[in-house]
Amino acid sequence: MYLTKTNSDNSSLKKAYIAGGCFWGMEDLFRKRPGIKDTEVIYLGGQNENPTYRNHPGHAEGIELTYDSSVTNFKEILDYFFRIHNPTTVDRQGNDIGSSYRSAIFFQNEEEKQQAQEVIDLVDQTNNWGAKVVTTLEPFTKAWPAEEYHQDYLEKNPNGYTCHFERFGTFLK
């Protein structure tokens, strides 16, 4: 089974696909954000069908966010994304190393790609990270849900590992 974009023209619910290191910490922080209706940890951007934790070559550990666009928007989601992980490290977050832990935005259309680039430029202009953003912009194609034991991991394991936390305030002014 894989996930596909399912935005409905009759609904304010939309989806966003991002990766910024281990998916546990990102999911835990995003689930508490205004307008986020659902989160799912996923594999995306890789070479094989039906990836698993033990076999996901090229896939990033990411999250699918279902959000209410009448409460939040794609740029606000990206603003928070760039505040909770280090977007200046190639294939690394905290102790996690490898392409699975890359910083990536999986855009669904040209508007999202443009907005993502605008936010990256804004983050770079602030120099809050002390280095340039290396986050990749990759077209969304498919995503597969991670195994059940990864879903809501930090709720099930409150003392579990995470390298994600809010580092500073908004980039959006």
Side-chain angles (χ1 to χ4, degrees), residues 76-150:
E76 291 170 332
I77 287 169
L78 296 183
D79 173 61
Y80 192 65
F81 169 69
F82 284 113
R83 293 161 46 203
I84 64 171
H85 85 293
N86 185 340
T88 68
T89 55
V90 176
D91 296 344
R92 179 179 192 149
Q93 286 298 309
N95 296 326
D96 297 322
I97 299 172
S99 65
S100 298
Y101 306 108
R102 70 185 178 273
S103 176
I105 299 166
F106 294 85
F107 61 90
Q108 299 174 79
N109 54 51
E110 285 303 310
E111 180 182 8
E112 283 188 357
K113 183 179 181 182
Q114 178 184 355
Q115 288 180 1
Q117 189 59 60
E118 289 171 7
V119 175
I120 288 170
D121 293 344
L122 184 59
V123 172
D124 277 342
Q125 288 169 13
T126 69
N127 199 36
N128 283 5
W129 285 105
K132 293 291 185 191
V133 169
V134 296
T135 303
T136 60
L137 299 180
E138 304 177 34
F140 174 83
T141 54
K142 294 182 193 176
W144 288 265
E147 295 82 351
E148 181 55 36
Y149 67 91
H150 287 299

Side-chain angles (χ1 to χ4, degrees), residues 8-164:
S8 170
D9 292 336
N10 299 328
S11 171
S12 62
L13 293 182
K14 295 186 176 189
K15 297 201 183 262
Y17 300 91
I18 55 178
C22 175
F23 38 38
W24 299 339
M26 291 196 59
E27 179 188 39
D28 195 54
L29 291 171
F30 266 106
R31 85 170 76 247
K32 300 167 187 156
R33 299 293 298 166
I36 301 298
K37 298 300 180 186
D38 191 33
T39 61
E40 183 159 22
V41 296
I42 57 176
Y43 302 108
L44 66 170
Q47 290 122 18
N48 66 330
E49 300 281 321
N50 303 307
T52 65
Y53 187 70
R54 301 242 181 263
N55 184 26
H56 60 276
H59 289 278
E61 289 191 10
I63 56 174
E64 177 188 77
L65 301 170
T66 303
Y67 66 98
D68 183 339
S69 62
S70 70
V71 177
T72 192
N73 62 50
F74 190 62
K75 276 187 156 179
E76 291 170 332
I77 287 169
L78 296 183
D79 173 61
Y80 192 65
F81 169 69
F82 284 113
R83 293 161 46 203
I84 64 171
H85 85 293
N86 185 340
T88 68
T89 55
V90 176
D91 296 344
R92 179 179 192 149
Q93 286 298 309
N95 296 326
D96 297 322
I97 299 172
S99 65
S100 298
Y101 306 108
R102 70 185 178 273
S103 176
I105 299 166
F106 294 85
F107 61 90
Q108 299 174 79
N109 54 51
E110 285 303 310
E111 180 182 8
E112 283 188 357
K113 183 179 181 182
Q114 178 184 355
Q115 288 180 1
Q117 189 59 60
E118 289 171 7
V119 175
I120 288 170
D121 293 344
L122 184 59
V123 172
D124 277 342
Q125 288 169 13
T126 69
N127 199 36
N128 283 5
W129 285 105
K132 293 291 185 191
V133 169
V134 296
T135 303
T136 60
L137 299 180
E138 304 177 34
F140 174 83
T141 54
K142 294 182 193 176
W144 288 265
E147 295 82 351
E148 181 55 36
Y149 67 91
H150 287 299
Q151 305 297 332
D152 306 310
Y153 184 84
L154 290 175
E155 284 190 340
K156 297 171 190 170
N157 302 278
N159 296 318
Y161 170 77
T162 183
C163 60
H164 295 91

